[in-house]
Amino acid sequence: MAGTKMRFGAFIAPFHPLAENPTLAIERDIELVQWMDKLGYDEAWIGEHHSAGYELIASPELFIATLAERTKNIRLGTGVSSLPYHQPLMLADRINQLDHITRGRVMFGVGPGALPSDAFMMGIEVAKQRDMMDEALDVIVPLLKGETVTAKTDWFTLNEARLQMTPYSRPHVDIAVASQVSPTGATAAGRHGVGLLSIGATNAGGFNALASNWAICEEKAKDNGKSVDRANWRLVGPVHIAETAEKARENVRFGLEKWLYYFREVAALPLAPDDGSDPVDALINSGMAVIGTPEDAIAQIERLQEQSGGFGAFLQMAHNWADFEQTKRSYELFARYVMPKFQGLNENRKASLDWARSNRETFMGQAMAAVGTRVAKHIEEKGTDNIRPEILEAMGIKKDKGAAE
């Protein structure tokens, strides 16, 4: 019996340095998801950002609508929609429309908003963003179930609001709440009985909080008469692999420093020490990133399984560390050699190979006996002419006298 099939995908913010054409950068993000679709990845999550110049996708819904026409199987999620930025009915209606357009392939990731600069431009107090997310989620979940909602807060009002179309997915689209270190996301996911999206699962704080955040999620679900499933828990971490560790390290020199610059100077997250040490070594040694071989990626996922107690999907954080061809190659190697390990794809193949090997002597004996029977019948009818000497020797038969050598 094959094991549980873990899902795999990518979390695409994205991160594009300033030197290149932004139109082509967005097109490359589209091409990456198309490539993932061909390779058999399960999910792609698309971010929403409005400032700071690197994370260029302002509307994940538009991006998903485009990809829905260019892909066949991969599921497409908002990763994430920043709830304080949207009137809840309007956002729910757009997601519901995508649910129909994609025939159920859309997923709805939500969060409070990652960049303070986005909130500043809209006059939203950063201190209120998490409360606003909770208030929005309280009405969006029932709306996406097709229910009628009346609610009033200090930033939106709903009067007998409901979606015109019955949801395509039942009871609603797949919903996941973003989580970093704080219990905010886990609390919201548990309260509504929806999925959890651990974006910083491999950095020190996020890694250490995995087990506790899931415990909070389960506790809150129980308190609210809901249930949560580890299969709907997704962990995110950066990966770049190549045929050798040396090649992977060489590949990421292409764009790693520009990625680190963004987080050190703009997003202000301590992802790697800025002390003059080799950032590749720092990322690997801290456990935050995989820069190596498929075996290293397997070890990272096993490490996350042990720390978390089990989860349903691993998402690679898209990062543009390597040039696009080497990036595509990394995703291909991951699909070929990492995903099968956690999806039970080769368990029956291995069992079949082991069975054939252990019974080889019996099977080969039967095969030789069958061949011998046919050879003997031929000799009986035609003699030993046209039978190769080594075959006769193997059967212990001497050539007929006078037969041509």
Side-chain angles (χ1 to χ4, degrees):
M1 177 68 70
T4 302
K5 188 178 181 183
M6 184 182 290
R7 302 183 311 284
F8 291 94
F11 187 85
I12 303 172
F15 302 107
H16 293 302
L18 301 184
E20 63 178 304
N21 184 321
T23 307
L24 297 181
I26 292 174
E27 186 64 34
R28 192 171 71 242
D29 293 330
I30 293 173
E31 186 178 340
L32 176 61
V33 180
Q34 290 177 285
W35 180 237
M36 292 172 61
D37 188 43
K38 292 179 181 178
L39 292 172
Y41 282 86
D42 301 284
E43 304 177 355
W45 295 77
I46 314 302
E48 175 193 357
H49 303 89
H50 304 279
S51 61
Y54 264 50
E55 301 172 86
L56 298 179
I57 297 172
S59 172
E61 301 100 324
L62 286 175
F63 197 87
I64 289 169
T66 301
L67 278 168
E69 291 296 306
R70 302 193 193 184
T71 58
K72 294 180 179 180
N73 301 305
I74 194 168
R75 302 185 71 211
L76 306 164
T78 62
V80 296
S81 294
S82 299
L83 296 189
Y85 305 167
H86 304 276
Q87 210 283 350
L89 176 62
M90 296 296 97
L91 180 57
D93 224 356
R94 293 198 300 271
I95 296 300
N96 194 45
Q97 181 172 325
L98 279 176
D99 190 29
H100 284 266
I101 288 173
T102 63
R103 296 294 195 273
R105 279 201 286 151
V106 73
M107 303 172 294
F108 186 38
V110 302
L115 294 177
S117 49
D118 286 357
F120 176 84
M121 291 194 300
M122 288 177 270
I124 297 171
E125 294 182 41
V126 173
K128 293 183 177 180
Q129 283 182 261
R130 283 155 183 79
D131 290 338
M132 294 172 73
M133 181 194 78
D134 289 338
E135 292 169 342
L137 197 58
D138 285 345
V139 299
I140 286 177
V141 171
L143 284 171
L144 287 174
K145 292 180 180 179
E147 299 175 10
T148 300
V149 179
T150 295
K152 184 175 180 62
T153 71
D154 60 1
W155 66 285
F156 71 81
T157 298
L158 296 180
N159 293 318
E160 298 181 19
R162 63 182 173 189
L163 306 182
Q164 294 187 92
M165 292 190 293
T166 300
Y168 184 90
S169 300
R170 307 297 174 85
H172 54 70
V173 299
D174 191 350
I175 301 173
V177 184
S179 173
Q180 289 267 17
V181 178
S182 81
T184 301
T187 299
R191 190 171 70 252
H192 294 284
V194 298
L196 189 62
L197 181 57
S198 296
I199 297 175
T202 60
N203 64 43
F207 180 80
N208 292 334
L210 286 175
S212 60
N213 271 341
W214 185 254
I216 291 169
C217 187
E218 287 185 317
E219 181 181 354
K220 290 298 179 182
K222 184 178 180 181
D223 290 346
N224 288 272
K226 308 285 186 180
S227 63
V228 288
D229 188 343
R230 286 179 180 270
N232 296 323
W233 188 13
R234 297 165 173 93
L235 273 56
V236 181
V239 174
H240 180 82
I241 57 176
E243 289 81 357
T244 66
E246 293 74 18
K247 186 173 182 180
R249 294 172 67 95
E250 178 184 348
N251 288 345
V252 302
R253 302 293 182 188
F254 173 83
L256 178 59
E257 285 290 350
K258 295 176 182 177
W259 184 84
L260 289 171
Y261 168 83
Y262 177 72
F263 281 101
R264 288 168 176 163
E265 303 296 328
V266 180
L269 294 178
L271 297 183
D274 191 13
D275 56 6
S277 64
D278 186 337
V280 175
D281 288 337
L283 288 169
I284 294 173
N285 294 338
S286 69
M288 180 188 166
V290 174
I291 302 172
T293 65
E295 290 74 20
D296 296 318
I298 289 171
Q300 175 77 310
I301 295 170
E302 290 174 338
R303 173 173 170 263
L304 290 169
Q305 285 181 315
E306 181 177 357
Q307 176 71 9
S308 67
F311 56 93
F314 177 78
L315 309 177
Q316 298 184 52
M317 177 181 284
H319 42 57
N320 289 301
W321 290 349
D323 69 52
F324 192 48
E325 289 307 311
Q326 293 303 326
T327 296
K328 289 172 65 178
R329 178 61 174 162
S330 176
Y331 277 83
E332 179 183 359
L333 290 171
F334 194 98
R336 290 177 65 185
Y337 300 114
V338 181
M339 287 161 54
K341 170 73 174 179
F342 301 96
Q343 295 182 328
L345 298 184
N346 288 322
E347 289 182 5
N348 278 16
R349 291 179 66 198
K350 183 179 184 304
S352 183
L353 177 66
D354 292 343
W355 174 75
R357 184 180 63 241
S358 63
N359 290 282
R360 181 178 183 275
E361 184 175 341
T362 298
F363 296 151
M364 290 302 295
Q366 292 174 350
M368 290 298 296
V371 171
T373 299
R374 282 303 180 100
V375 171
K377 183 177 180 182
H378 177 85
I379 293 172
E380 182 180 347
E381 296 174 353
K382 303 292 186 179
T384 57
D385 288 348
N386 302 320
I387 302 294
R388 294 180 60 84
E390 57 267 28
I391 295 176
L392 294 172
E393 182 179 353
M395 297 179 64
I397 300 173
K398 294 183 179 180
K399 259 189 175 297
D400 294 340
K401 291 182 180 181
E405 292 294 336

